[in-house]
Amino acid sequence: FLDRLQSRADGSEAIGIPTGIPELDYLLGGGLKGGKQVVLAARPSVGKSSFAQQICVNVALAGHGAAFLSQEMSKAELTDRCAANLGRIDLGNIVTGKMDSDEWSRVTDAVERMRDLPLYLDDQPALSLHDIAAKARMLKRQHNVKVIVLDYIQLCAAGDKDSRHHQIEQLSRGLKTLAKQLDVTI
């Protein structure tokens, strides 16, 4: 304990992986930490998915492997959003393809940056806990992913005949166990 504490004080041990949002890192006690499950909740259509994807991009930009498992958006949509973000281009312009020459230049640069990022996008729908665990283990083994975003838990498949409340509870408990087993943030 004292050695770990001294390492933290010296700055030789990272407290957590930065989200790219200092206030959030402070609220999380230093950033994203292995073995933790973080739930992002808000009303519908307020930007939870965009916010979560931004955190994934920030984690990848910092050199840490990050995965975004979207059961709602396609890989093409996720890529559009990522290119818009990194290129600082209005998403509507990317979706329509109507960009000026400066935006074309920025999107080209953004695509080059994306190519080198340790960012993994998956768009398989109706994931079960087993599917998520298999993907997470593979991503951890092959790419040393540190952060996995699941968008979103209500779209996960559950085979039990229990109430949806109990199914979500089981998924949540399973995800927490997975985070601890793999030492990743989910």
Side-chain angles (χ1 to χ4, degrees):
F1 167 75
L2 291 175
D3 290 342
R4 276 195 335 257
L5 184 58
Q6 187 62 54
S7 295
R8 290 174 190 156
D10 295 343
S12 60
E13 179 183 311
I15 298 171
I17 297 172
T19 62
I21 305 161
E23 183 68 22
L24 180 58
D25 292 340
Y26 174 77
L27 294 170
L28 292 172
L32 302 171
K33 299 176 183 175
K36 300 293 183 185
Q37 180 181 20
V38 178
V39 177
L40 178 60
R43 293 185 328 268
S45 299
V46 296
K48 296 178 297 293
S49 296
S50 294
F51 184 61
Q53 188 179 16
Q54 179 63 53
I55 290 171
C56 264
V57 169
N58 289 348
V59 167
L61 285 168
H64 303 282
F68 193 89
L69 310 180
S70 177
Q71 299 177 92
E72 186 173 38
M73 290 183 275
S74 68
K75 277 187 188 174
E77 288 176 282
L78 295 171
T79 304
D80 287 353
R81 287 170 176 262
C82 190
N85 176 338
L86 290 173
R88 301 289 187 228
I89 302 165
D90 185 274
L91 179 60
N93 294 358
I94 289 202
V95 170
T96 63
K98 296 189 186 320
M99 297 182 292
D100 62 31
S101 61
D102 181 56
E103 289 172 322
W104 275 105
S105 176
R106 290 198 322 259
V107 79
T108 302
D109 291 341
V111 169
E112 287 304 315
R113 287 178 70 197
M114 286 169 55
R115 216 184 286 270
D116 296 327
L117 285 179
L119 177 65
Y120 307 94
L121 307 175
D122 186 286
D123 64 354
Q124 180 182 339
L127 293 170
S128 67
L129 182 57
H130 182 270
D131 296 331
I132 296 164
K135 287 175 186 290
R137 285 187 176 93
M138 184 269 303
L139 288 163
K140 178 71 175 183
R141 184 177 58 254
Q142 292 180 359
H143 306 289
N144 196 26
V145 166
K146 302 281 187 189
V147 175
I148 300 170
V149 171
L150 175 63
D151 185 33
Y152 57 94
I153 196 168
Q154 287 86 348
L155 293 178
C156 288
D160 297 352
K161 301 282 189 241
D162 292 338
S163 70
R164 191 62 180 154
H165 168 79
H166 289 298
Q167 291 171 351
I168 299 294
E169 187 179 310
Q170 287 176 329
L171 281 164
S172 181
R173 201 172 16 254
L175 292 170
K176 174 61 177 173
T177 300
L178 183 64
K180 287 184 76 173
Q181 287 174 346
L182 298 180
D183 192 32
V184 298
T185 303
I186 295 182

